[in-house]
Amino acid sequence: MRIGELSKATDVPVPTIKYYLREGLLPAGELTSPNQASYDETHVRRLRLIRALIELAQVPVATVKEILESLDSDTEPLHEQIGRAHRALTPTRRLTSTDEARAAATAQVTELIERRGWTVEPEAPALATLVDTIAAMQTLGQGHLSEYLDTYAEAVEKFTELDIAAVSARPTRDQLAESVVIGTILGETLISSLRLLAQESISAKRWGRG
């Protein structure tokens, strides 16, 4: 397809597609003449991934390029490819907490990971975020929320296994990696939305009128 057809197929404006091409986010099309290129379904899939990263996950263009370079690697193991993408997608935040609370939270998270037998890199951004979140709960007098950490972890592990099973059916390595990245972005929104709806329903049953 030509660039105009690619634009219609993905709902991405032509100037934006040209910008992605200049930035190296989108592979160049096959030249059919000095001023004309042809694009195919791989470009459609890649554009959808770029849109998910930039528009849904609010990932900066430079970081998107880093994620795509990882996914395009021919030598990096799939686990490492996905890991690099996850690290780029995980925001680095430092929540307000006391040193004492952070030390206790670190010990709690370390014990949790050991009990569940999870394989987690020490520098994983999500690990630091979890520690900071639990420490903030303690500091704000909401430490009782972290008492259910094992139950939360068990539930998360179950639906994550479903996530992996769902994307494992993808026919190619590229499609598998892309599905994991998009699934991570949309999955966060999905889970958050379901939790809010469940909270509203349970709250209505317990404390609502009538």
Side-chain angles (χ1 to χ4, degrees):
M1 65 187 81
R2 295 184 177 181
I3 194 167
E5 295 170 315
L6 179 62
S7 174
K8 289 181 180 178
T10 59
D11 200 28
V12 178
V14 171
T16 303
I17 294 176
K18 290 182 177 179
Y19 169 69
Y20 292 158
L21 287 166
R22 288 196 304 271
E23 292 297 315
L25 302 183
L26 187 68
E30 181 181 353
L31 286 178
T32 55
S33 69
N35 298 313
Q36 195 71 255
S38 177
Y39 303 89
D40 56 27
E41 285 302 316
T42 61
H43 293 89
V44 172
R45 197 171 68 243
R46 176 52 57 91
L47 269 176
R48 287 172 179 162
L49 176 60
I50 293 170
R51 289 189 68 188
L53 291 168
I54 292 177
E55 297 177 17
L56 295 177
Q58 300 291 301
V59 178
V61 170
T63 306
V64 171
K65 189 172 184 178
E66 177 185 342
I67 293 173
L68 296 179
E69 287 174 352
S70 173
L71 295 182
D72 289 339
S73 172
D74 293 328
T75 58
E76 199 169 24
L78 181 60
H79 174 68
E80 297 299 327
Q81 285 181 296
I82 294 171
R84 282 183 59 187
H86 279 175
R87 280 158 175 70
L89 288 170
T90 305
T92 302
R93 329 177 233 195
R94 187 66 184 268
L95 304 177
T96 302
S97 60
T98 64
D99 291 340
E100 182 181 2
R102 279 189 58 77
T106 299
Q108 186 177 3
V109 171
T110 300
E111 292 170 3
L112 170 74
I113 290 173
E114 290 176 353
R115 280 197 305 274
R116 301 211 64 82
W118 287 356
T119 303
V120 178
E121 295 293 335
E123 69 276 9
L127 185 61
T129 300
L130 180 58
V131 168
D132 280 346
T133 301
I134 294 173
M137 288 177 176
Q138 296 285 354
T139 302
L140 296 171
Q142 300 295 323
H144 60 281
L145 294 173
S146 66
E147 294 175 4
Y148 302 102
L149 195 59
D150 278 277
T151 304
Y152 290 147
E154 183 176 359
V156 167
E157 188 170 359
K158 285 181 179 178
F159 65 66
T160 302
E161 287 176 348
L162 293 175
D163 285 344
I164 298 300
V167 301
S168 294
R170 305 302 290 172
T172 69
R173 176 189 173 105
D174 287 345
Q175 289 176 313
L176 172 59
E178 290 171 6
S179 293
V180 170
V181 172
I182 293 176
T184 298
I185 296 168
L186 297 180
E188 292 294 323
T189 305
L190 176 68
I191 293 164
S192 177
S193 299
L194 286 172
R195 186 184 183 197
L196 289 173
L197 292 172
Q199 283 182 346
E200 180 177 341
S201 176
I202 293 170
S203 173
K205 291 175 183 177
R206 291 191 179 185
W207 303 303
R209 295 179 182 177

